Amino acid sequence: MIDRARLASLRRQEEARFVERHPRSAALAEEQRANLLAGVPMPWMTRWPGSFPVSVAAAQGGRLVDADGLEYVDLCLGDTGAMTGHALPAVTEAVASRMATGATAMLPSEDAAWVGAELARRFGLPFWQLAISATDANRFVLRFARHLTGRPRVAVMDWCYHGTVDETLAVLGDDGRVVARPGALGPQADVAATTAVVPFNDLGALDRRLAEGDVACLLMEPALTNIGIVLPAPGYSEGVREITRRHGVLLVIDETHTMCAGPGGATAAWGLEPDLLVVGKAIGGGIPCAAYGMTAEVAERLSGPMLGHDIDVAGVGGTLTGSALALAAIRATLSTALGEEDFAAAVPLAGRFTAGVVGAIDAHRLPWHVQRLGCRAEYWFCPPPPDGAAAAAAVDEELEAFLHLWCLNRGVLLTPFHNMALFCPAHTEADVDRHTEVFTDALQALSQ
Ligand code: PMP
């Protein structure tokens, strides 16, 4: 379908255009290479298109300005960290005020009760704890699940992503055995000993695996969002709940990305009934924080250990976790953003994006698809895949790198390692149409 020679030559042109347009980012990247491993403060930043990452100068709402003064429609939104839109005034104010009165004391502050109550209201789970990141929250939850059940393994979906949690960096190998995910550096332990992996949308496989009796919890996103978006087939979510209950396996729903489905994530939108729930990234309006909630029954079973003398070395919690600063940021975020009215503004923009991309794909008779979940949409170079492995098989690094660079060079930022666009209430229809125009031009250029 795609002329590879043409793709390579267009990519070279775009690389040259990128370098020419970003002299200041180039200079900063050069300075960064002196003392930052891989020239970046965090390894994923090497995955931006172009031979160096652009340096951010400022971001506001749905727009970002780089060090060269170029402005972008930001459809990455910090890979969901800025799903509210950048620099919410209420968060800026609350964080500044809290900083001025002490950010961290390892004591609860007056925002704590409000935050617990608001999370309970949104997600329908009565008891909550905080974490610094969704990764952290997932790690804590896995520890609790093993403690409560006495079982050694955790189950995850094939090609899932839940942060840098060792057990979850596992996939099904060709022979059906559990192996480390390609690219996972220095696995801490053989994942075959820690993890059970099942394909998404396959209730039979889940039932058979959980019947072995060694799984403490199933950790899953309600829809896969980290290998394109793979939605649950009709009846799948209900089936997962019935099977996990029947086998005494705790169901942990990770809403870190699927919060794009609404104020209470897919859990509230679809009436899911998890035993534990993790949410991170966006809830602090940019301040690092996450939270995990649980049913009254799980809370009751954990109340003993949580009050134990050795809880400070139990492997859950952290010094800066649940700080007054984080609580103030969450309160300011959840009281002014990510509400019904915000989704009412952002979701139609994702719908418009989807229609625009579908139009371009159809015009070029490409067998690609776009999937949308709430205010998040992603295109993929294959027909809708039923599970993560099918989605992973359609990864096309060259094509993806080209499309991302083409968009960046024309003022639209997509999330690296996703063909994902996330919308916030500050985006406009004109922003969406800018992407449609640029994407359509890219397909036109490829087909000439
Ligand atoms: N859960 C899900 C579903 C995620 O997509 C991610 C990160 N992409 C995480 C957890 C981890 O979040 P963080 O990197 O902020 O710890």
Side-chain angles (χ1 to χ4, degrees):
M1 283 290 178
I2 300 292
D3 177 341
R4 293 285 151 178
R6 171 140 200 85
L7 174 61
S9 122
L10 282 170
R11 173 128 177 238
R12 279 194 298 278
Q13 276 174 34
E14 292 302 315
E15 289 286 357
R17 181 178 170 146
F18 174 84
V19 171
E20 187 198 317
R21 285 166 54 87
H22 296 94
R24 180 71 187 135
S25 282
L28 289 168
E30 186 54 36
E31 284 177 32
Q32 286 156 205
R33 277 192 277 272
N35 295 105
L36 292 174
L37 180 63
V40 284
M42 199 274 282
W44 306 356
M45 293 179 190
T46 61
R47 286 286 309 272
W48 282 95
S51 41
F52 49 85
V54 297
S55 196
V56 58
Q60 187 84 46
R63 297 284 173 131
L64 186 148
V65 177
D66 73 14
D68 289 287
L70 302 173
E71 184 171 311
Y72 303 87
V73 173
D74 183 8
L75 302 181
C76 169
L77 294 179
D79 190 17
T80 311
M83 191 167 92
T84 55
H86 295 283
L88 285 182
V91 178
T92 307
E93 206 177 295
V95 165
S97 151
R98 194 65 244 189
M99 279 306 292
T101 49
T104 186
M106 223 186 66
L107 287 166
S109 65
E110 67 176 18
D111 294 321
W114 189 95
V115 165
E118 175 63 8
L119 290 167
R121 185 187 72 77
R122 285 178 177 247
F123 295 100
L125 288 167
F127 291 102
W128 289 83
Q129 282 279 286
L130 295 202
I132 294 276
S133 65
T135 295
D136 243 6
N138 280 325
R139 266 200 285 264
F140 301 158
V141 160
L142 297 190
R143 199 172 265 274
F144 284 133
R146 286 190 172 111
H147 173 78
L148 291 175
T149 61
R151 297 176 179 177
R153 286 193 172 79
V154 301
V156 295
M157 295 294 154
D158 200 19
W159 293 95
C160 67
Y161 187 74
H162 295 283
T164 56
V165 180
D166 292 309
E167 294 94 327
T168 63
L169 296 170
V171 291
L172 286 173
D174 290 338
D175 57 2
R177 283 195 306 177
V178 175
V179 297
R181 186 177 176 137
L185 292 175
Q188 306 279 8
D190 179 2
V191 282
T194 62
T195 311
V197 179
V198 291
F200 194 73
N201 273 331
D202 187 340
L203 290 174
L206 179 68
D207 199 0
R208 285 191 296 280
R209 185 60 191 83
L210 298 193
E212 292 182 34
D214 59 349
V215 170
C217 68
L218 169 65
L219 171 62
M220 66 182 288
E221 289 188 281
L224 298 183
T225 65
N226 280 296
I227 189 78
I229 297 173
V230 182
L231 297 175
Y236 179 66
S237 307
E238 295 78 1
V240 166
R241 184 61 278 196
E242 187 278 316
I243 290 167
T244 46
R245 276 209 178 104
R246 180 152 46 78
H247 293 294
V249 171
L250 292 163
L251 175 60
V252 185
I253 300 261
D254 183 345
E255 291 276 10
T256 301
H257 277 179
T258 47
M259 189 146 182
C260 61
T267 293
W270 301 344
L272 307 180
E273 296 175 5
D275 297 299
L276 295 119
L277 182 149
V278 168
V279 63
K281 296 201 182 184
I283 62 166
I287 294 291
C289 51
Y292 55 100
M294 63 201 78
T295 60
E297 198 220 322
V298 172
E300 167 70 26
R301 289 163 69 194
L302 283 175
S303 58
M306 289 295 277
L307 296 171
H309 176 267
D310 293 331
I311 193 62
D312 55 330
V313 289
V316 294
T319 315
L320 296 172
T321 298
S323 71
L325 185 70
L327 290 165
I330 299 175
R331 182 173 188 167
T333 306
L334 296 186
S335 58
T336 60
L338 302 172
E340 294 289 357
E341 61 287 5
D342 302 300
F343 284 96
V347 171
L349 295 172
R352 190 177 178 96
F353 171 94
T354 305
V357 175
V358 166
I361 289 173
D362 287 353
H364 287 88
R365 300 174 193 282
L366 290 162
W368 303 355
H369 85 284
V370 198
Q371 199 66 270
R372 184 183 65 79
L373 178 60
C375 61
R376 184 183 184 97
E378 182 152 359
Y379 59 81
W380 212 240
F381 310 121
C382 62
D387 59 29
V395 169
D396 188 328
E397 280 178 34
E398 264 185 317
L399 189 54
E400 191 173 305
F402 162 71
L403 286 167
H404 283 229
L405 190 55
W406 177 279
C407 289
L408 186 149
N409 279 340
R410 288 157 186 78
V412 180
L413 290 185
L414 294 168
T415 310
F417 43 77
H418 290 286
N419 302 310
M420 189 274 281
L422 189 63
F423 292 90
C424 71
H427 281 125
T428 63
E429 291 188 347
D431 291 339
V432 178
D433 296 346
R434 175 71 189 144
H435 175 267
T436 304
E437 187 189 326
V438 164
F439 180 77
T440 305
D441 288 350
L443 297 193
Q444 191 60 36
L446 277 171
S447 67
Q448 264 163 16

